[in-house]
Amino acid sequence: MNENDKTARLIRELTKTWADFEGRLVQVPMISRALRGALRLEDYRTILCDHYQQVIEGACWIARAVSSIDRGHLELRSSFLSHAKTEHLDYRMLERDYQSVGGDLATLRGGRKNIGSNALSAWMYHRASQPNPLDLLGAMFMIEGLGKHFAGIFAESLQKHLGLREDQVSFYLYHAQHDEDHLAELAETLGSGILDTDGLAERILETARVTGRLYLLQLEELGNY
């Protein structure tokens, strides 16, 4: 199987994994309520507060992964570094959104990861600490997919049913507009020859599946510390 065939096959499998994840995502109680217009403003604050804890960690586990990539993969190390740089100030958007809907900044910054966020964070750091954790491309596929495929729908529903302004859902709108570019970069990386590494495609897919399940757990446990 040539490189193009390997890449196409992996992307097909990742897309199937994402579709399964999305089917479960819309059934998560808090997300389901948001989409059907039954969410309260205090629920939105809870979502922002818990999401903040995960976003704060995001750039950190990417940076950890960078430190675990050896000189044999310098281009990928640069790619991971660039991604960490892009993401590491996203938490500021969440701070502004949270304050704009009546949340207290000190409460946000002093918050804790919920049960699911703890599991997701532990998994990410575990994978990022392994030698050459290139399988984290699978995790990025899932998380960036949320921006491309779901963040805009979520923000639109919040605006419609809660009467929120764009500056009150800025985090989700931003990712709806920019994560498509990140996914295109990811597809390019997958087609760069790295899949010649024995078993990497299978590890990428496994990491995507585990990350998706733990991300759902994070949402299922909103407010549960």
Side-chain angles (χ1 to χ4, degrees):
M1 185 181 297
N2 64 39
E3 187 63 31
N4 288 339
D5 289 340
K6 290 178 183 177
T7 303
R9 179 179 179 182
L10 176 57
I11 290 177
R12 282 196 303 271
E13 291 302 315
L14 287 170
T15 301
K16 290 178 185 177
T17 298
W18 164 260
D20 178 68
F21 168 78
E22 185 178 35
R24 298 183 184 198
L25 173 66
V26 297
Q27 297 178 45
V28 172
M30 195 78 86
I31 301 302
S32 175
R33 287 167 57 193
L35 296 178
R36 69 175 189 269
L39 202 71
R40 301 166 299 176
L41 192 59
E42 63 189 80
D43 296 324
Y44 179 48
R45 285 195 291 266
T46 297
I47 291 171
L48 290 173
C49 191
D50 283 21
H51 200 173
Y52 181 82
Q53 313 310 321
Q54 179 235 312
V55 169
I56 285 287
E57 296 285 348
C60 296
W61 65 256
I62 297 173
R64 174 73 64 83
V66 169
S67 70
S68 301
I69 297 175
D70 66 27
R71 65 176 60 191
H73 300 282
L74 291 179
E75 287 297 323
L76 271 173
R77 187 194 290 177
S78 289
S79 177
F80 274 55
L81 270 172
S82 176
H83 192 71
K85 181 179 179 181
T86 300
E87 302 283 342
H88 86 286
L89 294 179
D90 281 2
Y91 71 90
R92 290 182 177 176
M93 285 184 280
L94 285 168
E95 290 183 347
R96 291 193 293 270
D97 289 348
Y98 188 71
Q99 287 182 292
S100 74
V101 293
D104 176 65
L105 186 57
T107 299
L108 183 69
R109 290 176 173 173
R112 295 183 293 146
K113 292 190 285 289
N114 70 36
I115 290 173
S117 295
N118 269 306
L120 176 62
S121 181
W123 162 251
M124 291 299 197
Y125 278 112
H126 165 68
R127 293 309 313 151
S129 299
Q130 305 306 305
N132 292 318
L134 308 186
D135 58 294
L136 283 173
L137 293 168
M140 293 178 185
F141 185 92
M142 299 301 289
I143 294 173
E144 299 295 341
L146 277 162
K148 177 183 177 181
H149 301 298
F150 188 73
I153 295 170
F154 185 63
E156 181 180 343
S157 182
L158 292 170
Q159 288 184 271
K160 177 181 178 180
H161 298 299
L162 290 177
L164 300 179
R165 304 182 306 269
E166 287 190 0
D167 65 293
Q168 293 175 306
V169 291
S170 67
F171 177 87
Y172 300 107
L173 288 177
Y174 172 84
H175 283 278
Q177 295 162 5
H178 291 85
D179 282 0
E180 184 170 358
D181 293 340
H182 294 163
L183 280 175
E185 292 168 3
L186 178 58
E188 184 177 344
T189 298
L190 291 174
S192 66
I194 64 169
L195 297 184
D196 286 337
T197 303
D198 287 343
L200 179 57
E202 289 76 14
R203 293 197 301 277
I204 288 172
L205 189 57
E206 178 186 26
T207 297
R209 289 170 174 161
V210 175
T211 300
R213 181 63 192 94
L214 293 178
Y215 204 102
L216 289 173
L217 183 63
Q218 173 181 243
L219 295 172
E220 291 163 1
E221 298 292 342
L222 286 168
N224 187 5
Y225 312 110

